[in-house]
């Protein structure tokens, strides 16, 4: 069963959750901010999806991303460093994060969800 990491105050997460429910997709819901994924899990997901690059996993429009000046640092981060950083603050993770095994999608686009989660 896929795991849906989301933030309830995020409108994109609410749209994604509605889409999942409308399409009767079974999932486990976890609050991304209260319970971010473990660094080991994030490291595994990033490694399994390296072709997407580290930016794919970061909420690049988030306040915390800007505060930490990650735009300038992301190119030099190692995968373990990125995983540790993401695990330390769920708001750094692009949301919603949908995971099943090593299969991952970040953000919400209907066509991507149709292709990956139906």
């Amino acid at each position: 069963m896929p795991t849906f990491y989301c933030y309830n105050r995020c409108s994109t997460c609410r749209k994604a959750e509605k889409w999942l429910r409308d399409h009767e997709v079974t999932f486990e819901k976890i609050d991304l901010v209260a319970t971010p994924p473990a660094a080991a899990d994030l490291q595994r997901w990033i490694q399994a999806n390296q072709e997407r690059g580290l930016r794919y996993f970061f909420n690049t429009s988030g306040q915390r991303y800007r505060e930490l000046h990650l735009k300038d640092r992301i190119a030099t981060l190692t995968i373990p460093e990125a995983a540790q950083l993401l695990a330390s603050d769920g708001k750094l993770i692009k949301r919603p994060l949908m995971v099943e095994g090593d299969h991952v999608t970040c953000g919400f686009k209907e066509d991507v969800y149709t292709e990956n989660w139906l």
Side-chain angles (χ1 to χ4, degrees), residues 16-34:
E17 184 174 359
K18 181 181 182 329
W19 186 94
L20 291 167
R21 294 191 189 287
D22 289 349
H23 290 84
E24 299 178 358
V25 176
T26 304
F27 60 91
E28 176 186 5
K29 181 178 175 181
I30 296 178
D31 185 315
L32 186 62
V33 176

Side-chain angles (χ1 to χ4, degrees), residues 63-77:
Q63 182 178 355
R64 187 82 174 122
Y65 182 87
R66 289 189 302 271
E67 286 172 359
L68 295 173
H69 305 286
L70 289 172
K71 178 182 176 185
D72 302 324
R73 296 177 44 210
I74 201 161
T76 61
L77 289 175

Side-chain angles (χ1 to χ4, degrees), residues 4-15 17 29-35 59 90-91 93-97:
F4 179 69
Y5 289 92
C6 65
Y7 179 47
N8 288 329
R9 295 180 61 195
C10 169
S11 61
T12 303
C13 290
R14 288 193 302 267
K15 287 177 193 172
E17 184 174 359
K29 181 178 175 181
I30 296 178
D31 185 315
L32 186 62
V33 176
T35 312
N59 177 11
K91 287 188 178 180
I93 300 171
K94 185 169 183 172
R95 57 187 183 255
L97 171 66

Side-chain angles (χ1 to χ4, degrees), residues 38-58 77-84 86 97 99 101-104 106:
D41 291 329
L42 285 158
Q43 184 170 334
R44 189 177 79 246
W45 300 333
I46 294 168
Q47 286 174 326
N49 296 275
Q50 283 186 56
E51 73 282 357
R52 294 179 174 165
L54 287 178
R55 276 181 69 84
Y56 180 74
F57 293 89
F58 280 87
L77 289 175
T78 65
I79 290 174
E81 289 170 339
Q84 191 62 49
L86 290 165
L97 171 66
V99 179
D102 288 338
H103 183 71
V104 176
C106 293

